[in-house]
Amino acid sequence: VPHWIELREEITYEVFEYKADQEIIPQDIRFLLVDYIEDYEPGVFATGYKCVTYREDFFAGHFPQEPVMPGVLTVEALAQVGAVAILAKEENRGKIAYFGGIQSANLRKIVPGDKVKLETKIIRQKGPVGVGEAVASVEGKIVVSAELTFMIG
């Protein structure tokens, strides 16, 4: 049985017995950029997905004639997936993972119809500060890679 949580609906799954989008990722649903988490290990990694559709609000202005998902939003989606890995740790429940920085980011085009696989591995952490290695891919091809710094508060 795959361990996953639906982040956009108030459904209880075997992995969590509470509303995941508020307990793990505290963003309002209007800024939640991850559709679901497929797998995770607290403090180690998380894997999620974003199914990009023409109905995304950002396509109205980026760019109407050739819709492209803004790279910075893909990086935010990767950070949200990383937040699942960090905030699922018992000692971090109820806290917030703040974005601290982006290093070595490489961005490629993501368009409506793409199913984006979002993977973030926690590669080091000292106290409340840590770093995640993040990769987004579409059909096995890397579209975004970055090193993300976070702080638990």
Side-chain angles (χ1 to χ4, degrees):
V1 176
H3 293 283
W4 62 283
I5 47 177
E6 180 71 45
L7 295 175
R8 291 189 177 264
E9 297 180 20
E10 292 185 35
I11 300 174
T12 302
Y13 290 92
E14 62 188 278
V15 176
F16 292 111
E17 294 184 5
Y18 46 76
K19 189 175 173 192
D21 64 331
Q22 288 182 345
E23 294 293 329
I24 296 292
I25 301 178
Q27 275 87 353
D28 182 284
I29 193 142
R30 293 169 292 182
F31 198 67
L32 191 59
L33 296 169
V34 180
D35 292 327
Y36 64 95
I37 297 295
E38 179 182 63
D39 196 14
Y40 74 99
E41 184 176 334
V44 179
F45 78 94
T47 302
Y49 288 87
K50 171 69 177 164
C51 299
V52 182
T53 71
Y54 278 104
R55 295 185 309 191
E56 309 288 348
D57 290 338
F58 48 78
F59 286 139
H62 200 267
F63 302 96
Q65 70 280 12
E66 186 180 341
V68 176
M69 182 171 178
V72 68
L73 294 182
T74 308
V75 172
E76 172 64 25
L78 287 163
Q80 290 178 10
V81 168
V84 170
I86 289 300
L87 299 178
K89 291 176 68 175
E90 190 62 42
E91 64 267 25
N92 293 333
R93 296 265 169 109
K95 295 182 179 177
I96 295 176
Y98 294 100
F99 214 148
I102 304 167
Q103 298 292 322
S104 307
N106 294 300
L107 311 170
R108 308 263 185 298
K109 187 165 42 171
I110 297 173
V111 298
D114 284 347
K115 181 175 182 181
V116 184
K117 183 176 185 178
L118 305 159
E119 302 173 277
T120 302
K121 291 186 233 176
I122 307 308
I123 56 175
R124 63 183 170 274
Q125 184 175 1
K126 185 173 182 178
V129 178
V131 176
E133 182 179 82
V135 175
S137 59
V138 175
E139 296 180 0
K141 295 179 183 164
I142 294 174
V143 291
V144 175
S145 63
E147 192 172 275
L148 310 177
T149 302
F150 63 87
M151 186 172 128
I152 306 299

